[in-house]
Amino acid sequence: MTEAPSPSWHEEIDARGILWLTFDRADATVNTLGSAVLEELEGIAGRLARQPPRGLVLRSGKASGFVLGADVKEFTTLRSVAEARALVQRGQRTLDALERLPCPTVALISGAALGGGLELALACRYRVALDDERLTLGLPEVLLGIHPGFGGTVRAVRTLGAPAALDLMLTGRNLRGKRTLDAGLVDRLCTTLTECEQAAREIIEHDPGARRPPWHLRLLSWAPLRPILRRQVTTAVARRVRPGHYPAPFAIIALWAAHGGKGAAAYAAEAESIAQLAATPTAHNLIRVFMLQDRLKAQGRGGTSVPGRVHVIGAGVMGADIAALCALRGLEVTLQDREQRFIDAALARLAEFFERRIRDPGKRAAARARRRGDRNGSGGSAADVLIEAIVEDADAKRALYAELETRMKPDAVLATNTSSIRLEELASALRMPQRLVGLHFFNPVSQMPLVEVIHTSTSSAEAIAAATALARKLDKLPLACRSSPGFLVNRVLLPYMQEAMYAAADGFSFDEIDAAATDYGMPVGPVELSDMVGLDVCRHVGGIVGVALGRALPDTAELDQRIAAGKLGRKSGEGFYRWEKGKALRGSDSRQPVPGVNRRPDARARADLEDRLLLALANECVAVLREGLVESADMIDAGMIFGAGYAPFRGGPLQAARQRGPAICEQRLRELAERYGPRFTPDAGWATVR
Ligand code: NAI
């Protein structure tokens, strides 16, 4: 006999006849809207329509927030457009039934109301929210390649007006604090839950009528005026993404342009549109990336205590930013360097960082109090984790470790931020090599989500766990990787960036090379990326990793000349491109044509360019997979997306290869090897990419 599922909705009627309906999903720690939950709610709404209470307050029974959205997992089980349509139509029906109740309805929001969660709240006549730092409202579906599907594309426009509703849906951004009220998403903001409950009672008592945007905003949805706003938003979206890569934002605009956020046809069109979008590879891949991100986030949970004190050695570009992040996230941090002036400059950068990132003056002062300049390194003896970020020189690092080890706590972890030196080489200087791991942050530290957590065969499980927990504490996505030249991200980027240099030598302009990569969906092309990293850093790191992997560039004369001339990339104002205000100037490729060398590439060479870049990269991923450096193909994809910005809608290099067909990729590599050289020889691991 099967047991009836336990209910997720709990009803309680108070003395005034108000029904308090609490959503507490029975089978999960967070509230999401799956079909079973919607079915239950539809049943309740049907009953209430026949016997309406005085008013209805809908709230969450979870400490984790109101409702985090539709059930993403359920989305991945959909096998056809028809199934997707049926799922969203159920959601639409349920929320429609809620909206039609004859009594006043209030959503009492605490924490996050996102996606389907906000759609649920928008189907209530009123919204009251608890104003604390957890309050987050948004419609982030577009980030998953879809759009609101439970009537949200219609109700958002009706409640906020087209400009604000389109902005929320097209950017997927969240609103917090007072901005939720200013935007018109909520009717009342209260500072305690008791006040929220009181406000809900008052609103039900007076039932002043649902909020509507002012007339001039409503006018923008009037059919004759719609084309004006449509043109504006389409231009803005087209500047950021292409319809072929990301169709969802264009579908959102099309829905509004056709229906103005009104009428039964608008709901039907929404359901059809999302059902079509859900079947696209873009949505499939973006949802997969979202779940991979969750897997990375889930690491470092349980068991391991999070380190409380961190000592950073090397107050340069990386060390200063790592220390800043530690203090921002509540850790005590000391910052050591060989000269006081470097520490002073770094502390000034930390102060600027806190100024930008922390609005509350009290919290800003607290973050400042958590960091300390430490010229003679006394903090090293109290720290749980020591992060070494000194110059990329194995001898200097080893000398430092020998000295540090005399002071470190016996159970403290030593983490190096090296980007190219194998950890085995550095561990040889330690009496206790098991405490050495890598914490490879990317530049700029505050913006790059990934941190590679590097281990050797001697790294202890405790050291790896502590480094992983620290990365999570810093709100980074930790990716476990075995020590080897370049680890994952730099190793895989190397052949890609090298191929750009080969293509440049074949006569392609820098713009053409970068356009091939951005047409594919990369955020920047390999030439621009080299300028951003710094040509000196590329040369140094690429040199070490390239030699270790047998992938040294045959001719670096041009690169060396640029470096010798001080053309280091973005940081010096010129590298391969000239840079102005942090932007590479297109067409600023200053190379002179060399007779006989800079021949114009023919049509076949042009047709090969994208594959030369992206298959070189994929082939290296296959090598990493075969060597078992990273746990799985999924984790390699996640690493390349969060560490290098690899086109998320393609799902990662290995997912893209799978979707194209591994046999086709291998065949193309063989052709490229024939035309351009043995560096394209397919890796032996392609057979395992299925
Ligand atoms: P940097 O040159 O900006 O800073 C290094 C700092 O270490 C300098 O302030 C220097 O005075 C100090 N230092 C050198 N030897 C020292 C010693 N024995 N004791 C105390 N302080 C010492 O270098 P950056 O760029 O911050 O790189 C640091 C490490 O991070 C390197 O291992 C590098 O490979 C790695 N890394 C760098 C990235 C980048 O984009 N800059 C990205 C990822 C890793």
Side-chain angles (χ1 to χ4, degrees):
M1 212 174 90
T2 53
E3 268 180 56
S6 31
S8 291
W9 300 89
H10 305 273
E11 299 173 49
E12 206 179 310
I13 197 129
D14 70 11
R16 301 176 199 216
I18 296 174
L19 180 69
W20 297 76
L21 182 59
T22 307
F23 181 24
D24 193 355
R25 196 170 161 157
D27 52 354
T29 52
V30 296
N31 280 337
T32 53
L33 295 172
S35 39
V37 165
L38 288 167
E39 189 178 339
E40 205 185 317
L41 180 60
E42 195 182 1
I44 295 171
R47 178 160 41 76
L48 296 183
R50 293 187 296 276
Q51 287 175 319
R54 168 114 179 67
L56 172 71
V57 181
L58 208 153
R59 62 183 172 182
S60 160
K62 302 279 190 213
S64 53
F66 183 70
V67 183
L68 296 190
D71 190 340
V72 176
K73 276 212 194 79
E74 195 166 336
F75 250 87
T76 60
T77 63
L78 298 172
R79 283 181 311 255
S80 65
V81 170
E83 276 188 22
R85 194 186 298 116
L87 176 70
V88 292
Q89 281 172 342
R90 168 176 290 288
Q92 286 193 350
R93 244 188 357 254
T94 306
L95 268 50
D96 187 50
L98 181 67
E99 184 175 73
R100 285 171 189 272
L101 287 180
C103 61
T105 51
V106 180
L108 196 164
I109 302 168
S110 58
L114 296 172
L118 184 56
E119 292 186 87
L120 176 68
L122 285 169
C124 293
R125 204 176 293 172
Y126 309 100
R127 284 154 299 284
V128 171
L130 176 63
D131 186 9
D132 63 12
E133 69 272 10
R134 296 178 317 130
L135 180 65
T136 317
L137 305 186
L139 295 168
E141 288 89 341
V142 74
L143 305 176
L144 299 181
I146 50 179
H147 55 59
F150 299 160
T153 61
V154 182
R155 293 193 182 97
V157 172
R158 193 183 60 196
T159 310
L160 307 176
L166 288 172
D167 178 64
L168 266 194
M169 291 189 282
L170 293 173
T171 61
R173 71 196 173 96
N174 294 328
L175 295 184
R176 297 165 190 276
K178 203 168 155 295
R179 294 179 64 192
T180 60
L181 186 68
D182 296 343
L185 263 184
V186 302
D187 300 274
R188 290 273 286 275
L189 267 184
C190 307
T191 46
T192 66
L193 212 48
T194 315
E195 272 180 48
C196 286
E197 288 164 2
Q198 186 52 33
R201 280 187 209 103
E202 279 167 24
I203 288 176
I204 288 174
E205 203 71 40
H206 298 109
D207 193 14
R211 187 192 175 282
R212 290 285 173 262
W215 67 270
H216 65 278
L217 291 182
R218 292 206 300 271
L219 202 63
L220 290 172
S221 288
W222 186 45
L225 294 186
R226 265 179 244 156
I228 304 171
L229 185 58
R230 176 189 194 162
R231 257 197 307 277
Q232 261 176 30
V233 286
T234 307
T235 311
V237 168
R239 263 201 295 271
R240 287 189 289 116
V241 294
R242 304 175 193 199
H245 294 168
Y246 293 98
F250 298 91
I252 292 170
I253 299 171
L255 282 175
W256 173 75
H259 303 282
K262 276 198 289 292
Y267 289 96
E270 177 194 83
E272 192 51 41
S273 169
I274 189 174
Q276 298 292 340
L277 284 173
T280 59
T282 292
H284 183 83
N285 287 335
L286 290 178
I287 290 172
R288 174 173 170 273
V289 172
F290 174 79
M291 304 215 307
L292 289 178
Q293 182 178 15
D294 265 2
R295 267 170 65 188
L296 290 178
K297 279 187 185 167
Q299 297 177 98
R301 272 194 206 142
T304 318
S305 62
V306 179
R309 277 175 189 277
V310 176
H311 181 65
V312 179
I313 312 109
V317 174
M318 299 301 286
D321 284 7
I322 295 168
L325 199 59
C326 289
L328 178 77
R329 301 285 171 202
L331 301 168
E332 298 285 333
V333 59
T334 39
L335 183 56
Q336 176 187 344
D337 202 293
R338 54 187 169 183
E339 286 191 48
Q340 186 61 39
R341 63 190 171 106
F342 295 125
I343 297 179
D344 292 341
L347 292 181
R349 283 218 343 254
L350 258 70
E352 274 170 36
F353 176 76
F354 297 148
E355 195 73 33
R356 272 200 318 275
R357 292 290 292 266
I358 315 174
R359 259 187 283 152
D360 182 308
K363 288 186 180 154
R364 204 185 298 147
R368 251 200 318 269
R370 283 193 291 268
R371 58 74 190 136
R372 181 165 66 79
D374 185 14
R375 167 78 185 81
N376 51 28
S378 61
S381 42
D384 305 307
V385 176
L386 292 86
I387 301 178
E388 172 273 304
I390 70 166
V391 282
E392 190 74 337
D393 177 311
D395 287 334
K397 288 185 196 279
R398 273 192 294 260
L400 175 71
Y401 295 178
E403 192 259 319
L404 285 177
E405 208 178 22
T406 60
R407 283 186 284 133
M408 285 169 66
K409 289 198 296 188
D411 57 347
V413 173
L414 177 59
T416 173
N417 188 43
T418 179
S419 35
S420 57
I421 305 172
R422 289 178 67 231
L423 264 63
E424 288 81 355
E425 268 186 60
L426 301 174
S428 63
L430 290 167
R431 275 186 294 111
M432 293 169 66
Q434 63 272 26
R435 56 172 51 179
L436 182 71
V437 292
L439 264 179
H440 185 220
F441 290 84
F442 294 84
N443 186 10
V445 173
S446 65
Q447 285 166 34
M448 297 299 291
L450 194 79
V451 171
E452 290 174 332
V453 180
I454 316 295
H455 61 271
T456 67
S457 55
T458 47
S459 307
S460 71
E462 292 77 21
I464 299 169
T468 307
L470 176 61
R472 281 306 297 134
K473 176 76 183 168
L474 300 181
D475 206 18
K476 295 293 171 195
L477 301 173
L479 181 87
C481 181
R482 208 171 76 206
S483 169
S484 66
F487 316 129
L488 170 68
V489 174
N490 285 347
R491 169 172 174 174
V492 167
L493 285 179
L494 183 80
Y496 167 72
M497 288 160 85
Q498 281 190 346
E499 201 49 38
M501 299 302 98
Y502 282 110
D506 289 348
F508 283 101
S509 73
F510 295 147
D511 282 328
E512 286 169 333
I513 297 167
D514 279 349
T518 52
D519 286 349
Y520 175 83
M522 302 300 275
V524 293
V527 182
E528 188 171 344
L529 182 62
S530 308
D531 267 4
M532 289 163 72
V533 171
L535 300 192
D536 50 340
V537 177
C538 286
R539 177 81 174 91
H540 187 67
V541 174
I544 298 176
V545 179
V547 168
L549 295 170
R551 280 192 173 280
L553 262 179
D555 182 6
T556 56
E558 195 195 318
L559 186 61
D560 292 338
Q561 265 171 27
R562 279 179 202 268
I563 294 172
K567 295 178 180 174
L568 303 181
R570 180 168 62 179
K571 61 188 169 191
S572 71
E574 184 170 352
F576 289 126
Y577 292 109
R578 269 186 283 116
W579 287 74
E580 253 174 44
K581 295 190 184 131
K583 283 205 161 44
L585 298 180
R586 295 270 156 248
S588 63
D589 182 348
S590 58
R591 291 173 303 159
Q592 298 298 318
V594 180
V597 175
N598 272 1
R599 54 199 179 275
R600 297 305 301 157
D602 61 18
R604 192 175 70 171
R606 287 178 189 283
D608 282 343
L609 184 57
E610 180 184 301
D611 274 347
R612 281 177 69 177
L613 298 169
L614 276 312
L615 279 182
L617 187 155
N619 202 30
E620 201 63 34
C621 287
V622 173
V624 170
L625 181 67
R626 175 179 47 75
E627 291 171 25
L629 302 180
V630 173
E631 172 201 304
S632 62
D634 279 356
M635 288 293 114
I636 292 175
D637 280 345
M640 292 313 295
I641 290 168
F642 297 113
Y646 187 95
F649 73 95
R650 297 204 185 260
L654 292 173
Q655 172 79 347
R658 236 182 265 127
Q659 284 175 343
R660 185 174 179 187
I664 296 174
C665 296
E666 252 189 292
Q667 178 52 31
R668 277 296 284 149
L669 279 164
R670 273 192 288 272
E671 285 166 23
L672 296 176
E674 223 162 84
R675 272 176 223 156
Y676 303 97
R679 62 184 183 278
F680 285 106
T681 306
D683 188 87
W686 274 97
T688 63
V689 183
R690 291 290 173 260

